[in-house]
Amino acid sequence: MADDTAPRHDFGPLEKQALDHIWIHSARWLDLAERDGLRVLVRGEGSTLWDARGKAYLDGLAGLYLVNVGHGRREIGEAMAEQAAQLAYSSSASYTNLAAVKLADVLAGLTPGDLNRFFLCSGGSEAIESALKIAKQVQAMRGFPRRYKIIARRGGYHGATMGAMSITSSRNEKFFGPFMYGVSFVPSPNRYRNDFGIDGEAGDLACADAVEQEILAQGPDTVAAVVGEPVSTANNCHVPSPAYWQRVREICDKHGVLLILDEVINGFGRTGTMFATEQFGVVPDLMTMAKGLSSGYAPIAAVAVSERLYDEFKKQDVALAHLLTFGGQAVSCAAALKNIEILEREELPQRSARQGRYLLGKLEALRAHPTVGDVRGLGLMCAVELVTDKATKEPFGWGLAAAAHPFSRRVTELMEERGLLTRVFMAVHLSPPLVITTEEIDRMVAIVDESLTVAEKELGFS
Ligand code: PLP
């Protein structure tokens, strides 16, 4: 039986050893060293994780927004073992394998419109790199070699590799600049702090119009693509009106610009439908997917490409100058196939919509906190935005910097002590596995509530 009351930082040799050789992603040394060890997770079941000390946690973030079918799915492991025993790998360049063929076929049945061609790869950043290259090559093949520019949205996140980082507005200029040439950023829909000071759908549409203004400012014959997440997690889950994406789609079509929608987090039920684009009534030219494609059981990602775009490659008989060794890796494809089978069999996208509505309803009560400025979300992708002052909407820091504020850090620590793992940036992010039960949602919200109360009292915000 798990001991849910184990004291915090009860670290032993294993947790101390964890600091010796692993390079923890995106973490400062002192933050890790201060704790004198790193929590080591050893087991998962549904929405619960256990660490090496036997302490149980609710997985409030489904790992990193991806364990959609929940932890401990033995049948995915069995499908992977079977595939590995049969054939683990076939060249991504010259041949393919049975699992990849089946996966592409299943995906074609799920993706909207004519997104029927799949470039398989290993992670979200790779999918984005691939989408950018496909978009640029298509524009050049159409006779527009000067169309190389990319318009992205402020606050969005598209990954950590060079191209993906270049189209992410929080990119670190000091360490990694100069970035890919020709990227510019436009405001993102935000009903809480709209860049134009306009409320509601009109504010979203002002953001859509900003896309057109940027295309015109750059020169339409120089722009390859517009890229964005249907609902941006990095930008703390602001849900735009469908009219926003529909207008962006019209603008792209008007100016011969391709639309890349990044469903790396949104896809596979996270927002209450298999893909978020379904709820916005648009079909992009390219759609990236990763994370929930295998629910984290294996590294796999894909770019769904419209038949019209692939036709250009067919007609001109030109290869996409892009090869990734692990594209269509058979064991990963087998994991994705089984994962999708579970998502459909258990109707998890629908469950996400249902449980998401319940979660959001419960979160409404948190507005009573002096530090809670807003709550919002779509499906099981929710955010509780934290502010130092409700009247001014002053955040604890902008973007990622908010995570370093003592208040955010204390809330994170208090939640962990009480058995909830999640992240706090400008908002407390709640994106649990789609199998989360109503009782677990109640417990998760109670922990957030309690942790905020304690931190507010301790740090003088009550
Ligand atoms: N796109 C979006 C919307 C993401 O949220 C992420 C990662 O969180 C990525 C792309 C990059 O994915 P990965 O970390 O698998 O490279």
Side-chain angles (χ1 to χ4, degrees):
M1 196 51 203
D3 174 10
D4 290 3
T5 58
R8 68 186 244 247
H9 299 182
D10 172 26
F11 290 149
L14 176 67
E15 288 86 350
K16 293 184 200 305
Q17 184 196 350
L19 291 184
D20 288 348
H21 297 292
I22 305 174
W23 194 316
I24 297 298
H25 294 208
S26 209
R28 290 183 316 137
W29 170 249
L30 281 182
D31 273 352
L32 301 174
E34 210 172 61
R35 302 170 56 134
D36 198 28
L38 197 65
R39 199 160 296 290
V40 179
L41 297 169
V42 294
R43 193 163 76 81
E45 192 70 47
S47 299
T48 305
L49 291 164
W50 285 269
D51 72 11
R53 313 266 117 218
K55 182 172 162 69
Y57 305 88
L58 279 170
D59 187 358
L61 216 56
L64 266 177
Y65 312 89
L66 79 164
V67 188
N68 290 5
V69 298
H71 298 279
R73 293 281 191 170
R74 189 165 283 276
E75 61 182 305
I76 300 183
E78 284 164 359
M80 292 169 72
E82 215 168 284
Q83 184 62 51
Q86 197 76 30
L87 176 74
Y89 180 79
S90 65
S91 161
S92 53
S94 317
Y95 315 101
T96 187
N97 60 73
L98 198 55
V101 174
K102 282 189 185 163
L103 178 61
D105 193 56
V106 166
L107 289 174
L110 294 176
T111 44
D114 69 339
L115 296 172
N116 290 330
R117 185 68 56 173
F118 297 88
F119 185 90
L120 297 168
C121 49
S122 320
S125 301
E126 260 189 15
I128 284 288
E129 298 290 340
S130 306
L132 293 175
K133 284 180 74 176
I134 294 169
K136 288 185 179 205
Q137 187 170 332
V138 164
Q139 292 287 15
M141 283 166 53
R142 284 178 175 173
F144 305 110
R146 287 185 60 239
R147 277 190 182 266
Y148 58 85
K149 292 181 186 169
I150 306 291
I151 296 174
R153 285 131 26 100
R154 274 205 285 281
Y157 179 78
H158 298 289
T161 51
M162 209 58 199
M165 185 173 50
S166 297
I167 59 167
T168 294
S169 63
S170 61
R171 58 197 195 174
N172 188 321
E173 190 81 44
K174 184 171 137 202
F175 293 142
F176 306 120
F179 295 105
M180 184 171 78
Y181 186 69
V183 179
S184 56
F185 297 96
V186 291
S188 303
N190 181 332
R191 300 266 176 112
Y192 186 57
R193 288 188 203 87
N194 183 269
D195 282 72
F196 303 95
I198 304 171
D199 289 338
E201 184 173 291
D204 295 346
L205 290 174
C207 294
D209 291 340
V211 173
E212 181 159 42
Q213 284 148 21
E214 186 60 25
I215 292 173
L216 293 171
Q218 293 292 335
D221 57 351
T222 68
V223 181
V226 168
V227 59
E229 305 143 80
V231 183
S232 172
T233 323
N235 207 19
N236 300 303
C237 308
H238 293 280
V239 184
S241 137
Y244 167 81
W245 279 118
Q246 287 162 16
R247 186 171 290 182
V248 171
R249 175 74 272 187
E250 282 165 21
I251 291 165
C252 287
D253 288 343
K254 182 170 151 195
H255 296 289
V257 170
L258 298 171
L259 178 61
I260 304 172
L261 288 184
D262 183 351
E263 292 244 13
V264 164
I265 287 183
N266 288 182
F268 300 97
R270 174 57 54 199
T271 65
T273 43
M274 192 56 90
F275 295 103
T277 42
E278 295 166 35
Q279 297 180 62
F280 295 104
V282 284
V283 180
D285 301 289
L286 300 120
M287 189 165 99
T288 50
M289 56 183 83
K291 301 205 186 234
L293 171 54
S294 71
S295 287
Y297 282 79
I300 184 164
V303 188
V305 184
S306 88
E307 214 50 71
R308 282 161 297 121
L309 256 63
Y310 191 72
D311 276 349
E312 311 267 350
F313 289 85
K314 277 187 186 164
K315 268 193 275 165
Q316 299 192 31
D317 195 25
V318 176
L320 172 69
H322 192 49
L323 187 161
L324 299 165
T325 300
F326 285 109
Q329 199 269 357
V331 178
S332 295
C333 289
L337 273 168
K338 187 54 77 179
N339 171 63
I340 294 170
E341 186 189 312
I342 296 170
L343 282 168
E344 291 196 296
R345 188 178 73 216
E346 297 184 8
E347 300 184 340
L348 293 181
Q350 294 90 321
R351 185 186 171 92
S352 168
R354 224 172 32 246
Q355 296 299 73
R357 276 193 296 275
Y358 180 75
L359 171 58
L360 209 51
K362 296 283 296 186
L363 291 176
E364 278 297 322
L366 300 187
R367 287 185 189 271
H369 279 271
T371 57
V372 172
D374 194 23
V375 299
R376 52 183 178 262
L378 188 64
L380 278 170
M381 193 175 118
C382 295
V384 178
E385 176 138 355
L386 303 179
V387 289
T388 61
D389 181 333
K390 282 195 204 215
T392 62
K393 301 184 181 177
E394 186 64 28
F396 285 92
W398 290 100
L400 294 180
H405 191 282
F407 184 77
S408 317
R409 288 163 58 121
R410 186 65 184 131
V411 172
T412 310
E413 191 176 50
L414 288 161
M415 290 192 296
E416 190 179 310
E417 271 175 39
R418 286 160 174 72
L420 173 62
L421 298 182
T422 184
R423 295 170 111 188
V424 181
F425 296 125
M426 287 177 76
V428 180
H429 282 219
L430 295 169
S431 281
L434 310 186
V435 293
I436 193 164
T437 65
T438 303
E439 180 276 322
E440 287 169 331
I441 290 176
D442 290 347
R443 193 145 41 94
M444 187 164 75
V445 176
I447 292 175
V448 178
D449 191 6
E450 224 181 276
S451 303
L452 286 172
T453 303
V454 174
E456 283 160 357
K457 204 172 280 171
E458 283 180 4
L459 294 160
F461 288 102
S462 46

